[in-house]
Amino acid sequence: PVVPLFETEEALKNSHKVLHNIFLKQKDLAKIHQEKWDGRFEVMLGYSDSAKEVGVFPARLLVSLSMEKIDRVLKKHKLNPVFFHGSGGSVERGGGSIKEQTSWWPESSLNIFKATIQGEMVARSFASTNILKGHIYKIARQINEPRKIEKNNETLIKFSREIKDQYQKIINNPKFLEVVEKASPYLYLKELKIGSRPTTRNPVLKVGGLRAIPWILCWTQTRVLFPTWWGVGKSWENMNKEDKAKIKKAYKSS
């Protein structure tokens, strides 16, 4: 089967509409999946590009909201959702502990766990039988964990939108990209034979042309981790007391 990939902001926002339209146009698609693939329908979600584009917090919220909507569309067609997470080892690429990665997923997404394992994570996940068993037990444990996920929290969405605005304000500034060229190893990464693709899509350094993996790697190497936190502090400062209280409550309970 063809597996659709949603990873940019626009793609994630419209993912459920895209799937809805596919099922409208291809009337027998759901039936084929029910007959040939035991009702499974796989969707891949990208983390690096969305984080590069809008910042980590807004990107993760986008993925979360998209999963809920995709889940509903697929269940409406009597299909079992399989979410293939194109995540990496670092937080900026969807990584973190198994609990951090999975606790905000819809329940159905844990029935079939599928995620990419990046090069730097292979030894950490598969180096020995005991490590592999531990990794699998952690995933299995999450299926039985009580889940309380904040849904349609307008304050979270407002907070996320503010972070995105602050983040995009700086990455769309050409002077900032000059700093990236001069103060980080971004340009040197193309000399390292560690990726399947070039560092840029365009010889002129522009955010839209940046490859997400070297973009994240250059911040990891400088220990700045810029996409993870930029805009969060300013956005928090701009919130009123009532909204801050709602965010704190959501943080403690979900």
Side-chain angles (χ1 to χ4, degrees):
V2 173
V3 178
L5 165 63
F6 303 108
E7 62 179 338
T8 62
E9 180 187 22
E10 188 180 1
L12 286 166
K13 274 183 179 174
N14 294 298
S15 52
H16 63 293
K17 293 177 187 172
V18 171
L19 291 174
H20 174 73
N21 289 334
I22 288 170
F23 289 121
L24 278 180
K25 288 176 182 176
Q26 304 287 336
K27 302 289 185 187
D28 60 344
L29 186 61
K31 190 181 174 186
I32 290 169
H33 276 261
Q34 284 154 6
E35 290 172 357
K36 290 193 175 185
W37 293 292
D38 198 26
R40 295 182 180 188
F41 192 98
E42 191 171 320
V43 173
M44 188 171 184
L45 302 164
Y47 285 71
S48 297
D49 272 296
S50 51
K52 178 199 78 173
E53 195 178 2
V54 296
V56 170
F57 184 90
R60 204 63 63 88
L61 188 60
L62 262 176
V63 172
S64 178
L65 296 172
S66 300
M67 285 175 79
E68 293 288 344
K69 291 172 184 173
I70 291 168
D71 195 55
R72 286 198 292 271
V73 170
L74 295 179
K75 283 179 178 173
K76 185 182 171 185
H77 291 276
K78 298 184 173 60
L79 294 167
N80 302 319
V82 178
F83 291 102
F84 181 7
H85 296 267
S87 52
S90 64
V91 170
E92 296 83 358
R93 294 173 65 194
S97 72
I98 292 295
K99 187 169 184 177
E100 285 168 347
Q101 288 180 67
T102 61
S103 57
W104 48 274
W105 293 359
E107 222 163 288
S108 62
S109 68
L110 280 165
N111 295 334
I112 303 165
F113 179 90
K114 190 165 186 181
T116 52
I117 299 287
Q118 302 292 341
E120 73 272 18
M121 296 300 290
V122 170
R124 202 180 296 181
S125 306
F126 307 127
S128 71
T129 307
N130 286 338
I131 289 173
L132 176 58
K133 276 183 182 174
H135 195 62
I136 292 167
Y137 288 151
K138 283 173 190 170
I139 293 166
R141 207 176 295 134
Q142 291 308 307
I143 298 169
N144 301 314
E145 283 278 313
R147 311 174 75 68
K148 187 182 177 189
I149 302 169
E150 287 288 328
K151 292 179 183 177
N152 303 318
N153 186 321
E154 288 302 318
T155 312
L156 272 182
I157 291 166
K158 183 176 155 189
F159 184 44
S160 173
R161 201 178 295 129
E162 175 77 19
I163 294 169
K164 174 194 153 184
D165 290 345
Q166 296 289 341
Y167 177 81
Q168 288 189 327
K169 214 179 277 181
I170 193 163
I171 63 167
N172 290 324
N173 183 337
K175 288 185 179 176
F176 175 70
L177 290 181
E178 282 180 35
V179 172
V180 174
E181 279 187 288
K182 291 170 183 173
S184 87
Y186 182 84
L187 290 181
Y188 294 96
L189 294 176
K190 64 184 175 186
E191 304 301 330
L192 300 176
K193 308 300 180 188
I194 57 171
S196 58
R197 292 168 289 183
T199 49
T200 61
R201 297 177 177 95
N202 194 309
V204 180
L205 199 61
K206 288 181 181 175
V207 172
L210 296 173
R211 288 288 183 191
I213 292 170
W215 168 254
I216 295 299
L217 187 58
C218 83
W219 293 115
T220 308
Q221 292 302 311
T222 52
R223 303 297 189 266
V224 176
L225 303 175
F226 164 82
T228 316
W229 55 264
W230 187 269
V232 177
K234 188 71 175 171
S235 303
W236 180 256
E237 280 177 13
N238 291 344
M239 296 186 91
N240 59 41
K241 283 184 181 178
E242 189 185 345
D243 284 347
K244 283 181 178 178
K246 286 178 184 174
I247 294 279
K248 285 178 181 177
K249 187 180 175 185
Y251 178 76
K252 284 177 184 174
S253 67
S254 172

